[in-house]
Structures are given as structure tokens and as C-alpha cells.
Amino acid sequence: MPVPIPRQRAIPAAESGQAQGASSPGGPSGEATGGQAGAVPAPHAATTPVDSTTNLTLLVIEDDPAGSLSVPEMLDAAGKPIRIRTARNLTEAERLLTDDVHCILLDLALPAPGRAAASDDELTTLKHVLRLAPRHAVLALTASGDAERGAEAVRVGAQDYLFRDELDGRLLSRAIRYAVERKRSDKAERRLTESRLRAQENARLERGLLPTPLLEGSSLRFAARYRPGRSRALLGGDFYDTVRTPDGTVHAMIGDVCGHGPDEAALGVELRIAWRALTFAGLCGDELLSTLQQVLEHERENDEIFATLCTVDIAPDGRRAGLCLAGHPSPLISRPGRPAELLPYENGGPALGLLAGARWPRRQVELGGEWSLMLYTDGLIEGHIGEGKERLGQDGMVDLVRRRLAEGLAGEELLRATVNEVRDLNGGELTDDVAVLLLDRTP
């Protein structure tokens, strides 16, 4: 047996407050303005605070041919009349339910749409109204003494309940203000919960996209930097990884799934984990990328999603490397006594997921005894220069890095300065994610 909720509950501090309105009861349909004719309702009032300039509006949904239901004239906390609209059925209510309505008073005796009136229809009607108006406060109106039905209405989603035969202006106006503030409080709490869950999701995605490198036993130094694009709560589809296999080879990769949503980020995590597992299993070059394409094809949401990828496998002596590009820009290498330059690569394959049966040739490159190798995503080179349409491009990035190297920057400092300058040249935050990975070999 449900425990009834007392009708005369204490009204919270919000009641003293800020709700304002203007109007008096109207006829069987529409609204009466009672001295406030022509007042323009505040837009989106259901989602914005009710202050001294906002007209508080009540939508009454009731089917009362005999006219026995009388909604009393009501005043808000400032002594102004509350505007009332009346609908005889749910179809009419949907037409009158505009954004300037703050609260709905629903007679639970109203039959459910398309069904005969019965005891279980009352909450069916309420559930229909809650689906129709998820942003609005709802008051349930029930028969006098039927506290059990009222309590059940609150459990279903109404903010409060009232007895039909005991309505008076003071009680109803208090209940309206209470319901509006309670709905707003519930929404604020829900947004806070969603924000916390999003932060936890971001942390999980970040751990998946931006892992700790496994370089134990290697003399190479590792640095990385990631900057999410503007106005996004979630990380995008950029990802990277670096591992050292038992034979002493260091494998590095960086990739970018097209798009910026959580699905793309999750796919980036899957591809990174698959790359690490396949690398430890001994796959390399075309065989590895072909397998990653199969993973992408099975896991992506639709056939238009693709991913670019750059993989490098550095020999145990650190002097040579194999390079594979799948629609991705070539890495930049800097060596003592020589200007920084892009690694030559003319025969890269397409991005993963674009062509069935594609091939990705592996090119052998000479690194030398001392070098720095920078892998990056296209967010680093696609930013604009100033207010025009000109983009930085790979040549601009190479010049930028050369200047920073001439200043003696290296490792984390080099990456930080490079990414910050790219952002400054763009005139603000970049629209795309930026991921940069740096490997250094110093004898």
C-alpha cells in the first residue's frame, strides 16, 4: 500500500520569491488577461529563471462539461494575478503548451486518449502529459480524500498534487510556485549529474586515447601533447601510442578518426588498443593496417567513417625505421646540422575504411645517430593564419618548428611552444583536435 503524501506540505524558500505573473481565469478555452491584455509572454520561460519581469502562466487541462471545476483567481508572491489557460483535452493542451507556460494543472479524471475512463487511465493520462511536456512543472488534481492517487501521481513524475474540491487561490498559487521551483531544481540537479558523468567519461576516453607509452628498456625519450578542439566537452578522434617489443624495436603510431563525437572517440580507443595488441603479436606494415581496417569496418557506425594513420617502427639500433602512411601527413624529422624536414614519402596508402582491399607499402628511412621525430595529426596544420582563409599547412609548420629548434627548445617545451603558436596564429582555439608525439634519440 503506497504511503500518502500529505497535501499541506511546507513550501520551500522558493515560494517567497521570484515568480511573477499577470492574469485572471479565462473561459473554457484559451486564456484571460485580466488587466494585462497584450502582455508579451517571456520566451522559453520553462527553462529560464522566473524573475520580476516574467509572467507566470498556468495551463489547466480538465474535462468538466458541468462546469463544476472552478479555478480560483490567484495572485503571485508580488500580488499580481497569475495568467491561466484552459484546455478540454490533450490535443487542445498540446496546441496551448507554448514555452511561456510554467506549470500544468492536470485533472486526473481526464480520460486517457483513445480509451474509456477507468481507474488505470488516470495515470496513463498523466504519463502522456509528462511525455508531452518534459520541461514543465505538473500539478495533479484528484478527488478529495484520494491521497493515494495523488501520491502515486507524484511518484510517476508530477511535482505535487491537490484535491479538486478544496482549491483556493492561496493554496494553488503557492503550489504553482513550489512546483515551478522544484522542477527547476530537479533539472539543475540532473544537469549536475550529467556533467559529472561526462567528466568521468572524458577521463576514461582520455586514458584510452592518450595512454602511457611502454618503452621500458629503450633509450628513446618520449613526449606528447594533446589539445581538444574548441567548444567540445568530449575528446575527439585523435589517438596515439608507443610500445617497445621484446626484440628491441620501438613502434609508434598516431591516428585520427573523422569526426569529433563520443562515437568517434570510442572508435579511436578501439583502434589504438587493436594496434597495440597486433604490434605485440608481431604484425607490421601492410598486414597490420589491413587488419586495423577490418576492425574499423566492423566497429564504425556507418560506411562514411574513416581513419588516417601513421605508423613508425624504429630498429633496435635506432638508426633506421619503417614508415607506413594511411592518408596521414608524413612525420617531421630534425637532426643536428640539418634543417628540420618532412620524411619523404610519395606512395602512402588511403585512409583506413575508404577502399576495400587497399594496400599500405612500408618504406625504409634512414634516421641517423641523433634525431628527433615528430608525429602529428592534421589539426596542427589546418589552423588559419590570421583572419584570412590561408592555412598554416605543412610548410608553415616546418618553418615554425625550425624556429623553435633554433631557440634551443626540445621535448615537452618544443611541443608546448609549437601548439601554442599554432593556436595564436589561428586567432584563438583551433576547431580541430591536435595530437603531437615526439621521439628523441641522443647518443
Side-chain angles (χ1 to χ4, degrees):
M1 175 74 66
V3 179
I5 298 177
R7 179 174 64 89
Q8 294 282 2
R9 291 197 298 276
I11 304 301
E15 149 193 345
S16 64
Q18 313 282 329
Q20 306 295 324
S23 166
S24 56
S29 181
E31 67 181 52
T33 57
Q36 292 289 334
V40 180
H44 306 295
T47 58
T48 56
V50 181
D51 56 29
S52 59
T53 63
T54 304
N55 294 325
L56 194 61
T57 303
L58 174 70
L59 174 61
V60 180
I61 308 176
E62 54 91 11
D63 182 15
D64 185 24
S68 59
L69 175 61
S70 176
V71 178
E73 186 170 330
M74 296 173 294
L75 302 178
D76 64 14
K80 297 181 180 180
I82 294 176
R83 172 181 296 164
I84 299 174
R85 296 177 185 173
T86 304
R88 296 297 186 189
N89 52 57
L90 295 179
T91 301
E92 188 175 346
E94 185 172 3
R95 178 176 61 83
L96 296 175
L97 189 62
T98 53
D99 282 344
D100 60 320
V101 172
H102 297 82
C103 185
I104 298 170
L105 177 64
L106 172 66
D107 187 354
L108 293 181
L110 187 73
R115 300 177 60 180
S119 60
D120 63 343
D121 287 345
E122 295 179 3
L123 293 185
T124 300
T125 302
L126 173 61
K127 292 173 184 177
H128 183 88
V129 170
L130 293 173
R131 288 193 298 269
L132 187 68
R135 297 181 301 161
H136 295 74
V138 176
L139 290 171
L141 194 61
T142 187
S144 294
D146 194 1
E148 181 179 335
R149 178 66 64 181
E152 186 65 23
V154 172
R155 278 189 282 272
V156 167
Q159 272 60 58
D160 204 347
Y161 71 91
L162 301 166
F163 293 141
R164 185 182 301 111
D165 298 334
E166 299 180 13
L167 289 181
D168 63 67
R170 181 175 178 273
L171 173 64
L172 184 53
S173 62
R174 282 203 319 168
I176 291 170
R177 297 197 303 275
Y178 166 69
V180 169
E181 294 303 327
R182 180 176 176 181
K183 183 69 174 180
R184 183 171 294 113
S185 175
D186 290 343
K187 289 163 62 178
E189 183 176 355
R190 184 169 60 252
R191 285 195 296 268
L192 179 60
T193 300
E194 291 172 352
S195 177
R196 289 171 177 167
L197 291 175
R198 187 177 297 113
Q200 294 172 3
E201 182 181 358
N202 284 348
R204 289 194 296 270
L205 286 173
E206 184 173 355
R207 287 194 299 270
L209 290 168
L210 317 176
T212 301
L214 298 180
L215 288 174
E216 185 177 356
S218 172
S219 61
L220 300 184
R221 293 182 302 174
F222 171 90
R225 191 157 183 84
Y226 175 86
R227 182 186 291 275
R230 179 173 52 211
S231 302
R232 283 199 301 278
L234 289 172
L235 295 171
D238 289 9
F239 55 99
Y240 61 76
D241 203 353
T242 307
V243 299
R244 179 178 183 269
T245 49
D247 65 355
T249 302
V250 171
H251 303 261
M253 63 89 85
I254 195 165
D256 184 2
V257 178
C258 68
H260 307 288
D263 291 336
E264 288 78 8
L267 182 56
V269 173
E270 291 181 90
L271 291 175
R272 186 201 64 76
I273 293 174
W275 175 88
R276 179 176 282 199
L278 294 170
T279 298
F280 278 120
L283 275 66
C284 187
D286 179 73
E287 186 179 14
L288 186 150
L289 292 175
S290 296
T291 308
L292 284 178
Q293 173 156 284
Q294 294 178 36
V295 173
L296 183 145
E297 290 171 345
H298 282 87
E299 298 297 330
R300 63 185 175 183
E301 189 177 64
N302 60 69
D303 292 344
E304 296 181 357
I305 294 178
F306 62 90
T308 67
L309 200 69
C310 168
T311 69
V312 177
D313 54 277
I314 302 169
D317 65 5
R319 304 184 67 88
R320 299 173 308 281
L323 173 64
C324 286
L325 297 179
H328 202 89
S330 186
L332 180 147
I333 187 170
S334 63
R335 289 167 282 205
R338 300 171 60 178
E341 60 184 351
L342 299 175
L343 285 179
Y345 203 98
E346 299 80 22
N347 299 316
L352 303 181
L354 289 183
L355 297 176
R359 287 290 176 263
W360 295 271
R362 175 178 176 274
R363 174 166 181 164
Q364 188 79 10
V365 294
E366 294 295 327
L367 302 178
E370 184 176 351
W371 47 264
S372 291
L373 189 64
M374 190 176 85
L375 286 63
Y376 53 93
T377 56
D378 59 7
L380 188 67
I381 59 178
E382 291 188 348
H384 290 90
I385 301 177
E387 298 180 356
K389 295 183 178 180
E390 184 182 358
R391 296 186 182 273
L392 178 64
Q394 285 183 289
D395 291 340
M397 180 203 67
V398 171
D399 290 340
L400 189 157
V401 173
R402 286 175 178 173
R403 285 190 284 103
R404 293 301 184 178
L405 288 170
E407 296 171 2
L409 299 184
E412 291 280 359
E413 290 185 350
L414 173 63
L415 297 187
R416 184 182 302 109
T418 299
V419 174
N420 287 344
E421 184 172 351
V422 170
R423 180 200 59 191
D424 294 342
L425 289 172
N426 189 62
E429 291 296 343
L430 299 161
T431 56
D432 198 4
D433 304 302
V434 175
V436 192
L437 183 157
L438 189 68
L439 289 171
D440 293 320
R441 182 176 189 267
T442 303

